[in-house]
Amino acid sequence: MEASTTLTIGTVCSSFFTFQILFHFVSYRFSAKVSSGFNNLGIEKKIEWNSRVVSTCHSLLVGIFGLYLFLFDEATIADPLWGDPTLVNVNIATASGYLISDLLIIILNWNVIGDKFFIIHHCTALSAYYFVLVNGVLAYIANFRLLAELSSPFVNQRWFFEALKYPKFSKANVINGILMTVVFFIVRIVSIPPLYFFMYSVYGTEPYMRNECLLKNAC
């Protein structure tokens, strides 16, 4: 087994077990210490709370690392389609481990947080990540899309405030709402046109045609 494959599998597995531990053990104890209101929540609210704590940890991890790679990973910047994806693959494998973990959590707690659209979303993302990890192509694009995770902590924090019954116009809620709107707009809306422009700019180039052959299994 190649070293890169071993690293990828190891990262996926480590990510999966880490997020499982966060959900089942760490979040309960941590949340009870930092928020007195956590203990007053019902069991269903606690399950979703812990799920969102894990989501926030994942988003901060892959989002910040993804931003670093987007700005400083010379290999994928120089060749966005076929550049050496070693570091980016670590980030994608981490996200993949989280998605598998979250799928398990959703299925085991279907009556509380079950949502067929989350299942579709996770499975679609895993399919795309699998293609990138196996073929070593489009890592830059995959990592770019992971930057969207930077808005999730603010979305989750809004839910935490609501669960704790914070006043809608409290200072903390308003500040979080402003940050959520700004970051969401930047990473999920403003970022789309440059991505499409980049995809158009590489259409028909030699690296693009190599990827086209790969998709068609013709080369």
Side-chain angles (χ1 to χ4, degrees), residues 14 18 45 56-57 101 119 152 155 217:
S14 298
T18 298
K45 282 285 188 180
T56 296
C57 292
S101 173
I119 299 294
S152 295
V155 176
N217 293 318

Side-chain angles (χ1 to χ4, degrees), residues 16-168:
F16 171 83
F17 286 113
T18 298
F19 289 120
Q20 283 289 305
I21 292 171
L22 280 173
F23 176 81
H24 291 288
F25 303 105
V26 178
S27 179
Y28 275 96
R29 297 179 181 179
F30 175 78
S31 298
K33 287 185 177 181
V34 301
S35 175
S36 58
F38 175 77
N39 291 324
N40 297 324
L41 299 176
I43 185 62
E44 293 186 353
K45 282 285 188 180
K46 286 182 178 179
I47 290 173
E48 183 165 2
W49 177 293
N50 292 326
S51 174
R52 288 179 179 272
V53 168
V54 175
S55 169
T56 296
C57 292
H58 159 259
S59 298
L60 289 173
L61 179 60
V62 302
I64 293 173
F65 188 38
L67 182 61
Y68 168 80
L69 294 172
F70 173 71
L71 295 173
F72 301 110
D73 187 42
E74 296 180 0
T76 53
I77 292 174
D79 185 356
L81 298 187
W82 290 92
D84 178 17
T86 301
L87 289 177
V88 174
N89 279 357
V90 171
N91 209 28
I92 296 173
T94 300
S96 298
Y98 164 75
L99 289 173
I100 297 171
S101 173
D102 199 47
L103 277 173
L104 180 61
I105 291 170
I106 290 173
I107 292 171
L108 293 179
N109 298 279
W110 187 261
N111 292 333
V112 179
I113 56 175
D115 189 325
K116 63 182 180 181
F117 294 108
F118 274 113
I119 299 294
I120 294 172
H121 168 272
H122 286 15
C123 290
T124 302
L126 282 170
S127 298
Y129 293 159
Y130 177 80
F131 177 84
V132 172
L133 291 171
V134 169
N135 296 293
V137 64
L138 301 177
Y140 180 85
I141 305 300
N143 184 70
F144 185 85
R145 293 308 305 137
L146 280 177
L147 297 183
E149 292 296 332
L150 289 170
S151 67
S152 295
F154 301 103
V155 176
N156 289 332
Q157 189 60 50
R158 180 184 180 186
W159 185 92
F160 293 142
F161 285 148
E162 182 179 340
L164 295 173
K165 302 188 184 317
Y166 270 56
K168 188 174 182 180

Side-chain angles (χ1 to χ4, degrees), residues 171-218:
K171 185 177 180 179
N173 235 332
V174 171
I175 292 175
N176 181 73
I178 293 172
L179 291 173
M180 180 182 70
T181 302
V182 172
V183 176
F184 189 96
F185 184 70
I186 292 173
V187 301
R188 293 185 182 264
I189 299 176
V190 174
S191 62
I192 295 300
L195 176 62
Y196 285 169
F197 176 77
F198 167 75
M199 294 169 66
Y200 175 78
S201 70
V202 299
Y203 181 79
T205 62
E206 188 273 334
Y208 174 88
M209 297 310 297
R210 285 171 60 197
N211 184 54
E212 188 83 358
C213 288
L214 180 64
L215 287 171
K216 295 179 179 179
N217 293 318

